[in-house]
């Protein structure tokens, strides 16, 4: 009985320590690249959307040309206009909705994600 209790306790602790999958995050665009953006995703690395940190973990966000982009008010923005705005405006804040939920960690491979939708927050 004690062994069963110990196994269950370890299982519960292990599940609570495991990372969380993220399906969206907020961050500032730090660089516009061919086919994508570099976005500060420190909030996702450090436990999900909304957590402010100072580590500066960048995500490479792949942005297919047909990815919808809109403002916080719902106004659509053409991809070319968005990319130009991201190039010109320092630290443009966006929300990136991901194609699939993923665990974003300090591992560089986990920080390569694909955008399903982008919302310009500022």
């Amino acid at each position: 009985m004690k062994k069963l209790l110990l196994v269950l306790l370890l299982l519960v602790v292990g599940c609570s320590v495991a990372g969380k999958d993220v399906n969206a995050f907020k961050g500032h665009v730090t660089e516009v690249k061919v086919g994508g953006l570099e976005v500060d995703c420190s909030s996702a690395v450090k436990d999900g959307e909304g957590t402010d940190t100072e580590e500066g973990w960048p995500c490479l966000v792949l942005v297919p040309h047909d990815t919808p982009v809109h403002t916080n008010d719902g106004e659509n923005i053409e991809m070319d206009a968005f990319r130009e705005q991201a190039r010109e405006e320092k630290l443009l804040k966006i929300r990136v909705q991901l194609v699939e939920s993923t665990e974003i960690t300090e591992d560089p491979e986990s920080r390569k994600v694909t955008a399903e939708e982008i919302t310009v927050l500022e």
Side-chain angles (χ1 to χ4, degrees):
M1 183 68 174
K2 287 183 181 182
K3 288 181 182 181
L4 179 62
L5 184 59
L6 180 62
V7 169
L8 289 174
L9 179 62
L10 289 174
L11 181 63
V12 170
V13 170
C15 289
S16 66
V17 174
K20 294 181 182 180
D21 282 354
V22 174
N23 61 8
F25 66 89
K26 295 176 185 175
H28 292 95
V29 177
T30 56
E31 188 176 346
V32 178
K33 298 182 176 243
V34 175
L37 306 167
E38 185 176 273
V39 180
D40 177 22
C41 61
S42 299
S43 63
V45 171
K46 295 298 181 190
D47 198 22
E49 189 174 349
T51 305
D52 290 328
T53 65
E54 296 180 12
E55 280 79 6
W57 297 102
C59 279
L60 175 59
V61 180
L62 302 176
V63 183
H65 199 72
D66 61 345
T67 302
V69 180
H70 52 86
T71 65
N72 219 10
D73 299 330
E75 180 183 331
N76 291 329
I77 302 173
E78 290 186 29
M79 180 58 69
D80 292 333
F82 165 70
R83 290 178 65 79
E84 189 61 34
Q85 180 183 5
R87 273 190 199 94
E88 292 176 1
E89 193 173 321
K90 295 286 186 205
L91 299 177
L92 177 68
K93 188 165 186 178
I94 63 173
R95 180 179 187 276
V96 179
Q97 178 73 39
L98 302 177
V99 169
E100 61 183 354
S101 292
T102 187
E103 184 179 1
I104 299 176
T105 66
E106 296 173 6
D107 176 25
E109 286 301 310
S110 77
R111 291 184 278 123
K112 291 180 184 174
V113 296
T114 303
E116 180 175 50
E117 178 181 77
I118 295 174
T119 305
V120 177
L121 300 175
E122 296 177 346

